[in-house]
mmCIF file of all heavy atoms in Angstrom:
data_model
loop_
_atom_site.group_PDB
_atom_site.id
_atom_site.type_symbol
_atom_site.label_atom_id
_atom_site.label_comp_id
_atom_site.label_asym_id
_atom_site.label_seq_id
_atom_site.Cartn_x
_atom_site.Cartn_y
_atom_site.Cartn_z
ATOM 1 N N ALA M 4 12.157 -23.589 -25.753
ATOM 2 C CA ALA M 4 11.147 -24.457 -26.373
ATOM 3 C C ALA M 4 10.181 -23.714 -27.279
ATOM 4 O O ALA M 4 9.700 -24.260 -28.261
ATOM 5 C CB ALA M 4 10.371 -25.193 -25.276
ATOM 6 N N GLY M 43 -2.523 -38.780 -8.351
ATOM 7 C CA GLY M 43 -1.301 -39.345 -7.777
ATOM 8 C C GLY M 43 -0.487 -40.209 -8.714
ATOM 9 O O GLY M 43 0.540 -40.772 -8.287
ATOM 10 N N LYS M 54 8.951 -37.750 -33.592
ATOM 11 C CA LYS M 54 7.931 -36.702 -33.525
ATOM 12 C C LYS M 54 6.790 -37.052 -32.582
ATOM 13 O O LYS M 54 6.247 -36.170 -31.891
ATOM 14 C CB LYS M 54 7.384 -36.421 -34.926
ATOM 15 C CG LYS M 54 6.554 -37.555 -35.531
ATOM 16 C CD LYS M 54 6.086 -37.244 -36.923
ATOM 17 C CE LYS M 54 5.082 -38.250 -37.451
ATOM 18 N NZ LYS M 54 5.422 -39.676 -37.238
ATOM 19 N N ASN M 80 14.238 -42.172 -21.767
ATOM 20 C CA ASN M 80 14.754 -42.595 -23.065
ATOM 21 C C ASN M 80 15.662 -43.792 -22.897
ATOM 22 O O ASN M 80 16.460 -43.845 -21.959
ATOM 23 C CB ASN M 80 15.525 -41.467 -23.745
ATOM 24 C CG ASN M 80 16.305 -41.939 -24.972
ATOM 25 O OD1 ASN M 80 17.524 -42.099 -24.926
ATOM 26 N ND2 ASN M 80 15.595 -42.196 -26.054
ATOM 27 N N GLU M 160 -3.291 -48.925 -38.643
ATOM 28 C CA GLU M 160 -2.315 -49.744 -39.371
ATOM 29 C C GLU M 160 -2.145 -51.102 -38.715
ATOM 30 O O GLU M 160 -2.061 -52.141 -39.396
ATOM 31 C CB GLU M 160 -0.972 -49.024 -39.422
ATOM 32 C CG GLU M 160 -0.955 -47.804 -40.338
ATOM 33 C CD GLU M 160 0.215 -46.876 -40.054
ATOM 34 O OE1 GLU M 160 1.168 -47.312 -39.365
ATOM 35 O OE2 GLU M 160 0.179 -45.712 -40.508
ATOM 36 N N PRO M 177 -5.997 -48.293 -26.505
ATOM 37 C CA PRO M 177 -5.531 -47.059 -25.874
ATOM 38 C C PRO M 177 -5.023 -47.275 -24.449
ATOM 39 O O PRO M 177 -4.244 -46.475 -23.942
ATOM 40 C CB PRO M 177 -6.778 -46.167 -25.879
ATOM 41 C CG PRO M 177 -7.600 -46.697 -27.024
ATOM 42 C CD PRO M 177 -7.385 -48.176 -26.988
ATOM 43 N N ASP M 182 1.382 -58.233 -19.796
ATOM 44 C CA ASP M 182 1.147 -59.665 -19.651
ATOM 45 C C ASP M 182 1.393 -60.154 -18.223
ATOM 46 O O ASP M 182 0.727 -61.073 -17.748
ATOM 47 C CB ASP M 182 2.043 -60.458 -20.619
ATOM 48 C CG ASP M 182 1.637 -60.253 -22.066
ATOM 49 O OD1 ASP M 182 0.471 -59.845 -22.293
ATOM 50 O OD2 ASP M 182 2.462 -60.479 -22.961
ATOM 51 N N ARG M 190 -1.974 -44.884 -24.147
ATOM 52 C CA ARG M 190 -1.636 -44.223 -25.415
ATOM 53 C C ARG M 190 -2.501 -42.967 -25.548
ATOM 54 O O ARG M 190 -3.524 -42.972 -26.238
ATOM 55 C CB ARG M 190 -1.859 -45.178 -26.580
ATOM 56 C CG ARG M 190 -0.923 -46.394 -26.557
ATOM 57 C CD ARG M 190 -1.124 -47.285 -27.773
ATOM 58 N NE ARG M 190 -0.090 -48.296 -27.866
ATOM 59 C CZ ARG M 190 -0.229 -49.577 -27.502
ATOM 60 N NH1 ARG M 190 -1.391 -50.004 -27.001
ATOM 61 N NH2 ARG M 190 0.764 -50.428 -27.624
ATOM 62 N N ARG M 225 4.352 -52.762 -42.478
ATOM 63 C CA ARG M 225 3.645 -51.607 -41.937
ATOM 64 C C ARG M 225 3.695 -50.433 -42.904
ATOM 65 O O ARG M 225 2.727 -49.682 -43.051
ATOM 66 C CB ARG M 225 4.224 -51.204 -40.577
ATOM 67 C CG ARG M 225 3.515 -50.004 -39.952
ATOM 68 C CD ARG M 225 4.027 -49.706 -38.565
ATOM 69 N NE ARG M 225 3.621 -50.701 -37.594
ATOM 70 C CZ ARG M 225 2.447 -50.695 -36.961
ATOM 71 N NH1 ARG M 225 1.556 -49.755 -37.217
ATOM 72 N NH2 ARG M 225 2.159 -51.623 -36.076
ATOM 73 N N THR M 245 -13.957 -43.350 -40.571
ATOM 74 C CA THR M 245 -14.977 -44.384 -40.408
ATOM 75 C C THR M 245 -14.365 -45.679 -39.881
ATOM 76 O O THR M 245 -14.952 -46.353 -39.027
ATOM 77 C CB THR M 245 -15.679 -44.653 -41.752
ATOM 78 O OG1 THR M 245 -16.247 -43.438 -42.247
ATOM 79 C CG2 THR M 245 -16.788 -45.678 -41.591
ATOM 80 N N GLY M 251 -14.502 -48.798 -32.201
ATOM 81 C CA GLY M 251 -15.249 -48.590 -30.959
ATOM 82 C C GLY M 251 -16.725 -48.898 -31.108
ATOM 83 O O GLY M 251 -17.535 -48.516 -30.258
ATOM 84 N N ASN M 252 -17.087 -49.594 -32.173
ATOM 85 C CA ASN M 252 -18.495 -49.899 -32.436
ATOM 86 C C ASN M 252 -18.603 -51.323 -32.971
ATOM 87 O O ASN M 252 -19.014 -51.557 -34.104
ATOM 88 C CB ASN M 252 -19.049 -48.880 -33.446
ATOM 89 C CG ASN M 252 -20.550 -48.974 -33.608
ATOM 90 O OD1 ASN M 252 -21.256 -49.491 -32.747
ATOM 91 N ND2 ASN M 252 -21.042 -48.481 -34.738
ATOM 92 N N ALA M 254 -19.839 -55.308 -33.102
ATOM 93 C CA ALA M 254 -21.014 -56.152 -32.876
ATOM 94 C C ALA M 254 -20.576 -57.613 -32.877
ATOM 95 O O ALA M 254 -20.531 -58.250 -33.933
ATOM 96 C CB ALA M 254 -22.064 -55.903 -33.959
ATOM 97 N N ALA M 282 -29.015 -55.345 -43.345
ATOM 98 C CA ALA M 282 -28.377 -54.612 -44.440
ATOM 99 C C ALA M 282 -27.180 -53.866 -43.880
ATOM 100 O O ALA M 282 -27.164 -53.472 -42.719
ATOM 101 C CB ALA M 282 -29.378 -53.635 -45.056
ATOM 102 N N GLN M 286 -23.341 -45.037 -43.963
ATOM 103 C CA GLN M 286 -23.645 -43.642 -43.731
ATOM 104 C C GLN M 286 -22.540 -42.785 -44.340
ATOM 105 O O GLN M 286 -21.443 -43.267 -44.601
ATOM 106 C CB GLN M 286 -23.739 -43.363 -42.224
ATOM 107 C CG GLN M 286 -24.775 -44.207 -41.499
ATOM 108 C CD GLN M 286 -24.739 -43.969 -40.007
ATOM 109 O OE1 GLN M 286 -24.099 -43.037 -39.538
ATOM 110 N NE2 GLN M 286 -25.436 -44.802 -39.262
ATOM 111 N N SER M 300 -13.374 -24.751 -24.612
ATOM 112 C CA SER M 300 -12.440 -25.018 -23.527
ATOM 113 C C SER M 300 -12.151 -26.499 -23.467
ATOM 114 O O SER M 300 -12.940 -27.337 -23.898
ATOM 115 C CB SER M 300 -13.034 -24.548 -22.201
ATOM 116 O OG SER M 300 -14.244 -25.229 -21.932
#
Side-chain angles (χ1 to χ4, degrees):
K54 68 182 189 314
N80 169 256
E160 289 162 16
D182 291 339
R190 295 183 170 101
R225 181 175 289 276
T245 303
N252 189 21
Q286 302 175 12
S300 60

